[in-house]
Amino acid sequence: MPLDLSSDRIALSGLCTIEEAEPLLAALRDTADPVVDIAGLERAHTAILQVLMACRPVLSGAPRDPVAAACLAGLDREGHG
C-alpha cells in the first residue's frame, strides 16, 4: 500500500497515485506534528507533492524519484529542523 498510516508516522512508498492525495491531506491535518517517511517513495503524482508542499510536514528519508526530490528539497528534514 503506497500510503501507510499504521505507525507513528505517515509512510509513502512505491507509486503514490492521485487517489492517495485526499487521505494524505486528512492524515496531515489530523496529526499535531506529522512526520512523513518518503524513503520508499518511487514516484508520486503531482497532487501528492502539492499536498506535501502545502502542509510542510517534517520529512524522513529521501524519495527515489528525482522530480519528487527536487519538489520537496525545501521542506524540513527529520534531524535537521
Side-chain angles (χ1 to χ4, degrees), residues 7-51:
S7 66
D8 62 339
R9 58 184 57 211
I10 299 164
L12 299 175
S13 62
L15 172 63
C16 289
T17 64
I18 193 169
E19 287 80 11
E20 281 83 45
E22 197 168 332
L24 173 60
L25 178 59
L28 290 170
R29 287 182 173 168
D30 291 343
T31 305
D33 295 310
V35 175
V36 179
D37 184 350
I38 57 172
L41 183 61
E42 293 177 20
R43 181 162 285 177
H45 188 278
T46 55
I48 298 293
L49 300 176
Q50 290 170 340
V51 167

Side-chain angles (χ1 to χ4, degrees), residues 32-78:
D33 295 310
V35 175
V36 179
D37 184 350
I38 57 172
L41 183 61
E42 293 177 20
R43 181 162 285 177
H45 188 278
T46 55
I48 298 293
L49 300 176
Q50 290 170 340
V51 167
L52 292 172
M53 289 185 291
C55 294
R56 303 190 63 80
V58 172
L59 299 179
S60 174
R64 297 176 191 159
D65 179 11
V67 173
C71 289
L72 303 175
L75 297 182
D76 288 340
R77 298 292 172 158
E78 190 172 49

